[in-house]
């Protein structure tokens, strides 16, 4: 069964619309033969530039639509599909506007920022498509706060179990014990979480007094469980960080695109 996503939304509606618009743009570019030569300043160049500007502004509006929960202007998934495919189409459409003429100027800078905006957007979409499902798949729907509470509860049980035990018992505890709090150190794996190796546990259990051996096995099991929970939190934190980090590039570059695009338009109409 094929599931509909923003990529194949309505049988790739926005992909086909983008391809159709590009084909029409190419045909118009090939047929247009202005007396002064093809350029961004020709009638067709101005027309393509206007269409590209409208498309960019429309794509920028996706951020507003995404937060308008009661809007009736199409679905968020449909807007995202348009955001992706039309954005990619602009990579090829804007050069038609400029007649493939680029230089060291603000006009080319606007195009460069547009490319970077689209590339970082594709990066974000790829992360979302490949990583978002892993959060629920790995954690079974449990929130980080609940996982932390489970770690704290296991810590309390382990401490009570260690009370009044022998030095060998405590040595086994210290061998696999760790303190954990989610944060930047945990995200970078600077914080060490010991791995409970069955072979090593078996060797260390031989030195534990017979009367404490059953409690020692229980303790090691809880330490192992606590380590799994800590790794789970770290993995989920890393996934969520990857789902957000692209925005720290995408948003500032998008602002730079808006600024350079405005300068580009003003310089064309008022300085040339």
């Amino acid at each position: 069964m094929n599931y509909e996503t923003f990529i194949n939304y309505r049988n790739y509606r926005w992909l086909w619309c983008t391809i159709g618009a590009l084909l029409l743009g190419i045909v118009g570019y090939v047929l247009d033969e202005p007396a002064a030569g093809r350029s961004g300043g020709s009638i067709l160049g101005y027309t393509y530039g206007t269409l590209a500007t409208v498309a960019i502004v429309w794509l920028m509006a996706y951020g507003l639509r995404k937060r308008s929960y009661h809007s009736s202007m199409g679905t968020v998934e449909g807007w995202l599909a348009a955001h992706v495919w039309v954005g990619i189409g602009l990579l090829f459409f804007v050069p038609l506007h400029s007649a493939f003429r680029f230089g060291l100027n603000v006009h080319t800078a606007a195009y460069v920022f547009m490319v970077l905006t689209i590339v970082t957007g594709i990066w974000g979409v790829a992360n979302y498509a490949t990583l978002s499902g892993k959060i629920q798949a790995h954690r079974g729907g449990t929130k980080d706060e609940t996982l932390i509470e489970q770690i704290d509860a296991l810590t309390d049980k382990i401490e009570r179990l260690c009370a009044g035990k022998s030095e060998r018992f405590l040595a086994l505890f210290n061998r696999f014990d760790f303190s954990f709090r989610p944060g930047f150190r945990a995200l970078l794996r600077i914080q060490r979480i010991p791995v409970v190796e069955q072979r090593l546990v078996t060797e260390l259990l031989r030195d534990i007094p017979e009367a404490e051996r059953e409690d020692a096995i229980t303790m090691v099991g809880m330490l192992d469980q606590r380590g799994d929970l800590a790794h789970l939190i770290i993995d989920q934190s890393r996934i969520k960080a990857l789902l957000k980090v692209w925005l720290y590039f995408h948003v500032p570059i998008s602002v730079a695109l808006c600024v350079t695009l405005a300068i580009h338009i003003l310089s064309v109409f008022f300085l040339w």
Side-chain angles (χ1 to χ4, degrees):
M1 180 181 296
N2 294 324
Y3 293 97
E4 183 177 83
T5 65
F6 61 88
I7 298 296
N8 62 357
Y9 179 78
R10 296 292 190 269
N11 293 317
Y12 296 96
R13 172 189 294 176
W14 286 106
L15 170 61
W16 296 119
C17 288
T18 300
I19 291 175
L22 283 175
L23 289 176
L24 289 175
I26 292 172
V27 171
Y29 180 83
V30 172
L31 295 179
D32 183 52
E33 295 182 357
R38 296 188 180 96
S39 70
S42 67
I43 294 177
L44 187 69
Y46 279 128
T47 302
Y48 283 5
T50 301
L51 292 174
T53 301
V54 171
I56 290 172
V57 173
W58 179 52
L59 293 180
M60 292 291 184
Y62 168 70
L64 299 175
R65 174 61 186 88
K66 186 170 62 174
R67 292 165 178 80
S68 301
Y69 302 107
H70 303 292
S71 174
S72 59
M73 298 177 62
T75 64
V76 174
E77 191 176 58
W79 275 71
L80 179 57
H83 196 76
V84 171
W85 291 119
V86 175
I88 293 174
L90 285 172
L91 291 174
F92 307 95
F93 190 80
V94 171
L96 295 176
H97 152 65
S98 67
F100 298 91
R101 296 182 180 181
F102 300 99
L104 296 177
N105 48 50
V106 70
H107 315 297
T108 301
Y111 179 71
V112 170
F113 281 121
M114 188 196 75
V115 172
L116 292 176
T117 300
I118 294 170
V119 169
T120 54
I122 293 173
W123 175 30
V125 167
N127 282 345
Y128 178 82
T130 58
L131 296 175
S132 60
K134 293 183 178 181
I135 293 180
Q136 292 298 326
H138 284 177
R139 68 200 291 185
T142 306
K143 295 182 178 180
D144 287 348
E145 293 79 5
T146 303
L147 295 175
I148 294 172
E149 290 175 0
Q150 293 175 7
I151 290 177
D152 292 339
L154 285 170
T155 301
D156 292 338
K157 291 180 181 180
I158 292 170
E159 289 177 353
R160 288 196 299 269
L161 199 60
C162 290
K165 292 299 192 295
S166 65
E167 291 184 4
R168 292 185 181 278
F169 188 100
L170 296 177
L172 176 63
F173 163 72
N174 291 327
R175 176 63 180 78
F176 298 110
D177 183 38
F178 64 93
S179 59
F180 174 78
R181 275 289 176 266
F184 193 69
R185 286 175 57 84
L187 188 62
L188 296 180
R189 294 196 184 278
I190 297 175
Q191 190 172 10
R192 178 178 173 272
I193 300 177
V195 177
V196 178
E197 300 177 4
Q198 188 60 43
R199 179 187 59 80
L200 180 58
V201 170
T202 301
E203 293 178 359
L204 294 174
L205 283 174
R206 294 171 185 169
D207 298 329
I208 302 297
E210 185 68 28
E212 298 178 347
R213 193 162 297 169
E214 185 175 345
D215 285 345
I217 294 173
T218 302
M219 176 196 66
V220 170
M222 288 191 292
L223 285 169
D224 190 29
Q225 184 181 356
R226 192 170 63 141
D228 289 342
L229 291 173
H231 280 299
L232 185 58
I233 293 175
I234 292 173
D235 290 341
Q236 301 311 304
S237 298
R238 182 172 289 106
I239 291 173
K240 287 187 288 185
L242 288 173
L243 287 174
K244 292 181 179 179
V245 68
W246 69 278
L247 287 171
Y248 292 102
F249 297 92
H250 187 68
V251 173
I253 293 173
S254 299
V255 173
L257 167 61
C258 292
V259 173
T260 53
L261 181 61
I263 296 173
H264 163 64
I265 295 172
L266 290 174
S267 64
V268 168
F269 284 100
F270 295 100
L271 298 181
W272 281 20

